[in-house]
Amino acid sequence: MATIAHGTKAPRQSGESVNLTPAQRRRAMLDRKGYGEKRRLATAAPTKVFYGVMLCVTLLIAFGLMMVLSSSSIVAITSGGDPWNMFKRQFLWATFGFFALLAMYRMPYHHWHRYAKPFLYVSFGLMVLPFMPAIGVTTNGARAWVAFGAVRFQPSEVLKVAVLMFCASLLGRRRAEVVDWRRTFKPVLIVWLGAVGACLAQGDFGAAVVFTCIVFATLFIAGTPIRWLTFVLSISFVGAITMIMSSSRMQNRMTAFLHLEENKGHYAYQVWQSILSIANGGLTGTGAGQGTGKWGYVPLAHSDFIFAIIAEEFGILGSVLVIGLFATLCYFGLQAAVRSRDAFGAILAGGTTAWLSAQACINIGGVVGFLPVTGLTLPFISYGGSSLIPAMAAVGVLLSIARTTAARRQSSNEVE
């Protein structure tokens, strides 16, 4: 019979557990205290999914910084300002975004189960701020911004992360009840209606579309019956068409892309100028910094329409490169979802991928005249900290899921 050293707790099971080495005992103690997962996360070798996501996002952010400098400097010079001003701000926000990414990556994503609901409540509270007269700001017909002095942010960007976290947490915990609409489908729809209603009240139709993509992507990944999703989406589509047709301004704005030449002097002016810039770029582009669309012809060239400047200065080749980076990011994001060992991680990774991919498609589609202009920014590239920082934080969660998957696989191999 094996002897037990003085001061050591007796094992609960007999047999091989009595003969554990000191290293194995230490590992077992860390596992009981919940530190084992953190240790495996820190020591596991990253997979190609981890490196793929990191590489795509890094290239997009770096390219975005360069394009913000190129697209904003001319306007700043002509107005007598500092040509480096927007670049400096974007670089500062990218730095803050890096720390947000790092914090979300270092925090095991399972901890968001306990914070998802409070985070959602706080985020909905922030959506009230744009309606306050002292701090609310109206931009392009949407009262969706909040200004505290020189600092401006868009609360809906924070709400995107909160809604994604809540939906993934609820659907992940109630995975076995996915066919019980009261337990899963109903609460998610309530949150979705609240988010969409708040965005429409602010006049931000584009954000409402993105929320729809996020929520229904999480429902689809969780295994919600297709007939439920089809029914609700059909009703939503009819409701959206009815709302658009009830307002002449919104109707003209949403349908202007169908008749660009007829509306190029008013509702389609931005898109028409954008297409002229894209055509000017040709195959290889005019060269970095040599585009003419940013000389006041393309409105919001540093923000919503920055893709037009990319296409002009780097041509079709540069445009394909940017689209390819988003497509590659989508691929690796879906791989992280597929390889996740738990429902929460899979839904969270899939929802994040759906959010970034859908927003990129809607932005680029509007710039090239294929979709209506919704005012959405191009993730990681467009100017603006309120869109860049939450997106980078979401990528941190995605990296955490990819790294945790690698850690669990390594742990399984050690056990085998």
Side-chain angles (χ1 to χ4, degrees):
M1 180 176 181
T3 58
I4 301 176
H6 179 68
T8 303
K9 291 184 179 180
R12 296 181 180 179
Q13 297 178 353
S14 60
E16 295 182 359
S17 61
V18 179
N19 299 320
L20 292 177
T21 65
Q24 291 171 329
R25 290 179 183 274
R26 184 170 60 253
R27 183 176 300 175
M29 181 189 69
L30 291 174
D31 288 337
R32 286 196 300 271
K33 292 182 176 294
Y35 296 112
E37 185 71 18
K38 291 184 178 180
R39 181 188 63 81
R40 286 190 290 270
L41 178 62
T43 59
T47 62
K48 64 179 182 179
V49 173
F50 177 91
Y51 285 122
V53 172
M54 179 61 75
L55 180 61
C56 290
V57 172
T58 301
L59 291 176
L60 287 170
I61 294 174
F63 192 67
L65 287 170
M66 180 179 67
M67 293 311 303
V68 166
L69 176 62
S70 175
S71 59
S72 64
S73 58
I74 299 299
V75 175
I77 292 174
T78 55
S79 60
D82 180 8
W84 294 84
N85 182 41
M86 287 190 180
F87 171 81
K88 292 176 182 177
R89 289 190 177 186
Q90 188 75 351
F91 184 82
L92 179 63
W93 290 327
T95 303
F96 289 150
F98 169 76
F99 286 110
L101 183 152
L102 184 63
M104 300 292 275
Y105 164 66
R106 295 294 299 175
M107 177 181 177
Y109 66 90
H110 290 98
H111 290 184
W112 279 105
H113 277 303
R114 71 183 74 171
Y115 303 123
K117 190 174 290 186
F119 184 30
L120 181 69
Y121 293 153
V122 172
S123 299
F124 268 116
L126 294 177
M127 293 293 285
V128 181
L129 296 180
F131 298 103
M132 296 184 176
I135 58 177
V137 178
T138 301
T139 303
N140 295 326
R143 193 174 181 83
W145 292 84
V146 177
F148 294 100
V151 179
R152 297 178 57 182
F153 75 97
Q154 197 170 3
S156 61
E157 297 294 336
V158 180
L159 186 61
K160 290 176 185 177
V161 182
V163 167
L164 174 60
M165 291 287 186
F166 174 80
C167 293
S169 176
L170 185 140
L171 295 172
R173 287 184 287 104
R174 301 178 182 178
R175 179 67 178 82
E177 304 172 275
V178 70
V179 294
D180 186 349
W181 73 274
R182 291 184 179 85
R183 294 281 292 167
T184 56
F185 197 55
K186 181 180 177 180
V188 170
L189 283 187
I190 292 174
V191 171
W192 169 64
L193 289 174
V196 169
C199 291
L200 294 179
Q202 295 176 354
D204 192 353
F205 186 80
V209 175
V210 174
F211 276 113
T212 302
C213 295
I214 292 173
V215 170
F216 282 86
T218 59
L219 287 169
F220 177 78
I221 296 170
T224 303
I226 299 297
R227 64 181 183 277
W228 295 359
L229 302 179
T230 304
F231 176 74
V232 175
L233 284 175
S234 300
I235 294 179
S236 302
F237 181 76
V238 173
I241 295 297
T242 302
M243 182 184 67
I244 292 172
M245 298 301 294
S246 63
S247 171
S248 59
R249 177 182 176 278
M250 184 172 291
Q251 181 180 348
N252 291 328
R253 182 180 176 183
M254 291 292 109
T255 60
F257 76 101
L258 298 175
H259 309 284
L260 289 177
E261 191 166 0
E262 298 175 7
N263 296 285
K264 64 182 180 181
H266 189 33
Y267 289 103
Y269 175 77
Q270 291 176 307
V271 180
W272 182 259
Q273 294 296 328
S274 171
I275 291 177
L276 291 179
S277 294
I278 294 172
N280 187 42
L283 179 63
T284 59
T286 59
Q290 302 301 313
T292 58
K294 60 193 178 186
W295 285 75
Y297 296 105
V298 179
L300 299 174
H302 60 282
S303 181
D304 299 358
F305 282 81
I306 197 169
F307 186 78
I309 308 304
I310 294 173
E312 182 180 14
E313 297 188 355
F314 294 92
I316 295 177
L317 297 180
S319 303
V320 171
L321 174 62
V322 172
I323 295 173
L325 285 174
F326 278 111
T328 306
L329 177 61
C330 178
Y331 168 78
F332 284 118
L334 293 177
Q335 286 296 310
V338 170
R339 298 182 183 187
S340 178
R341 297 296 184 90
D342 64 287
F344 179 49
I347 297 171
L348 196 54
T352 302
T353 304
W355 162 20
L356 299 175
S357 302
Q359 186 161 327
C361 290
I362 294 171
N363 175 272
I364 295 174
V367 169
V368 301
F370 185 73
L371 294 173
V373 176
T374 57
L376 292 174
T377 57
L378 187 59
F380 309 115
I381 295 181
S382 292
Y383 173 79
S386 61
S387 61
L388 179 61
I389 296 175
M392 292 183 69
V395 169
V397 178
L398 188 60
L399 291 173
S400 176
I401 296 170
R403 189 69 178 265
T404 303
T405 301
R408 288 180 176 176
R409 288 189 174 185
Q410 178 175 316
S411 178
S412 300
N413 294 334
E414 289 176 358
V415 172
E416 294 175 0

